[in-house]
Amino acid sequence: MIKLFFFLLSLFLGASGSVNGSVVEKENIKIFELKKGELSLKVTNWGASIVSLLLPDKNGKLGDVVLGYDSVKDYTNDTTYFGATVGRVANRIGGAQFTLHGTHYKLVANEGNNTLHGGSRGFGDVLWKVERYQKEGPSPRITFSYHSVDGEEGFPGDVIVSVSYILTGKNQLVILMKGKALNKATPLNLANHVYWNLGGQNSGNILNEVVQIFGSQITVVDSKLIPTGKFASVKGTAYDFLKPQSIGSRINQLAETKGYDINYVLDAEKGKKRKLAAIVQDKKSGRVFELYTNAPGLQFYSGNYIKNVKGKGGYVYNAHAGLCLETQAFPDSVNRPNFPSTIVTPEKPYKHYMLFKFSTKTHY
C-alpha cells in the first residue's frame, strides 16, 4: 500500500509539472546578473529568459527597458512569453502538424488548431541548465542549455539547444542560439521574446517609439496569422517601416489584429551573413538600439493583447506596453517548401545570432 501511495504521488507530481514545471524545478529557478560598464542584464534559467536590462538615457539616468515581473516565480505562470527563449519552433505552425521525410507528425495545439511557440510547454516553460557563467570582465556571459527529447510536444528526435547572453563592446548585447539534432531530422527555430520599452518598462505605451525595419516584404497571413505562402511588398502600406515611422502613426489601420503581428522578410546585404534588421528609438529618453542578425525573418509584435498584467513594481501593463522584434525563420516554414528550411539534422546544426547595439545617439 505504501509503495502504491508513492507511485501515485509520483504520477501526480509528474502531471502537475507538465504545464508549469515540477516543484523541484521551481525550487531551482534562479536569477543571474551580467554587468559591463553602464549595462546591467539579468536573466533566469527558467525559459532562458531575459528579466531586466538597465540602460542609461540621454541624461545618464539608468532605466529598465524590459517588461517583466518582480518575482522569478511569476515567470512560471506567464502566458505572454516575457523575455523567453521560445521553441522548439518559434511562431506558428498551421494545423499543429507537418510531414517530414514521409512521416506525419501531430503537434500539441495551443492556439486554436495551431501550434504557437513550440506548444503548451515550449522551451520558454522549462528549466534550462547553466553551462557557463561569468558575471564580469571584458565579456561577461552566461550560457544555458536544454535537452528536448524525442516526441516532446509532438516534435521528432532529441535536440540539444543552447542560448548564450554576452555583453561586449560598449553597451552591446549578443544573443547566440545553437542547436543540434542527435538522432532525427527535425524543425528548429528559436527566438527571443523580449518586450522592449525604451522609455522604461513603466513609462506607458510604445506608440510614440520610432521604428525602422529593413524588410521590403512581409509573409502574407490568413485570419489566424498562418502564412499563405505568398509575399507582399510593404511599400505604401501600414507595414512600411523602410523609413523611420512611429509605431502609432498607422496602427489604427490594423483593426483586425489590433496592431502589428507580422513577419518581415529581411533584405539581404550582398556578401554579408549578418544584416541590420531594425532600429528603434525613444525620443523622450533618447535611447536607441540597432538589431543585427543572420536570420531571414523578423516578427514585429506591438503587444496588442497584453491586458492587466501586473509587472515590476506593481505597474500594470496593458495593450502596447512593449514591442517585440523577434528575429527568426519564417512562420510555418515546415509546411511551406518555398520558405527557407528550418530542418536540422545531426550533420546540419542550427545557429542564430543577434546583436543589439544600445546608445543615445539620435538617428532620426
Side-chain angles (χ1 to χ4, degrees), residues 32-239:
F32 305 85
E33 185 177 22
L34 304 178
K35 295 186 72 174
K36 182 178 172 65
E38 295 178 304
L39 203 65
S40 175
L41 175 73
K42 289 183 179 180
V43 295
T44 174
N45 52 337
W46 183 262
S49 304
I50 291 179
V51 173
S52 68
L53 182 65
L54 291 180
L55 291 174
D57 67 8
K58 62 186 178 183
N59 299 314
K61 184 179 178 181
L62 293 176
D64 185 358
V65 297
V66 169
L67 272 57
Y69 303 104
D70 283 327
S71 169
V72 71
K73 299 289 176 69
D74 289 335
Y75 287 86
T76 64
N77 299 312
D78 173 58
T79 58
T80 55
Y81 306 98
F82 279 160
T85 298
V86 292
R88 180 179 299 197
V89 175
N91 217 300
R92 295 169 175 87
I93 296 178
Q97 59 188 326
F98 64 91
T99 299
L100 180 60
H101 298 164
T103 301
H104 185 74
Y105 295 97
K106 184 63 180 172
L107 309 175
V108 174
N110 63 323
E111 189 188 54
N113 295 323
N114 306 312
T115 297
L116 175 66
H117 294 328
S120 60
R121 195 182 187 217
F123 290 1
D125 288 314
V126 296
L127 193 69
W128 293 56
K129 179 182 178 182
V130 180
E131 296 287 352
R132 178 182 178 182
Y133 178 40
Q134 182 181 333
K135 181 177 180 179
E136 297 178 322
S139 295
R141 67 182 61 204
I142 189 165
T143 299
F144 299 108
S145 69
Y146 177 67
H147 182 175
S148 178
V149 298
D150 185 18
E152 189 171 327
E153 299 298 302
F155 290 98
D158 289 79
V159 174
I160 291 181
V161 292
S162 68
V163 177
S164 297
Y165 296 102
I166 307 164
L167 302 185
T168 183
K170 183 178 180 181
N171 291 344
Q172 295 183 15
L173 167 64
V174 170
I175 304 177
L176 182 59
M177 299 175 169
K178 295 181 179 181
K180 183 175 177 60
L182 300 186
N183 41 40
K184 292 181 184 178
T186 187
L188 185 61
N189 177 30
L190 306 183
N192 179 268
H193 211 289
V194 162
Y195 287 77
W196 301 99
N197 187 324
L198 292 184
Q201 61 87 24
N202 59 352
S203 65
N205 65 52
I206 44 79
L207 297 180
N208 288 325
E209 296 201 354
V210 175
V211 173
Q212 185 173 13
I213 297 175
F214 297 88
S216 301
Q217 293 182 306
I218 56 169
T219 49
V220 178
V221 295
D222 63 18
S223 62
K224 302 297 182 183
L225 301 181
I226 303 299
T228 64
K230 296 180 179 180
F231 302 94
S233 171
V234 301
K235 289 184 178 179
T237 74
Y239 296 108

Side-chain angles (χ1 to χ4, degrees), residues 212-216 241-242 265-268 276-279 298:
Q212 185 173 13
I213 297 175
F214 297 88
S216 301
F241 287 90
L242 290 169
V265 180
L266 293 175
D267 298 332
L276 178 59
I279 301 173
L298 174 76

Side-chain angles (χ1 to χ4, degrees), residues 234-274:
V234 301
K235 289 184 178 179
T237 74
Y239 296 108
D240 188 350
F241 287 90
L242 290 169
K243 293 183 178 179
Q245 302 281 348
S246 67
I247 295 171
S249 60
R250 295 161 300 177
I251 201 169
N252 60 358
Q253 297 179 34
L254 305 171
E256 188 174 348
T257 53
K258 298 183 180 181
Y260 293 94
D261 194 0
I262 195 72
N263 174 66
Y264 285 80
V265 180
L266 293 175
D267 298 332
E269 295 184 48
K270 193 172 182 180
K272 294 184 179 180
K273 291 184 179 180
R274 298 168 184 173

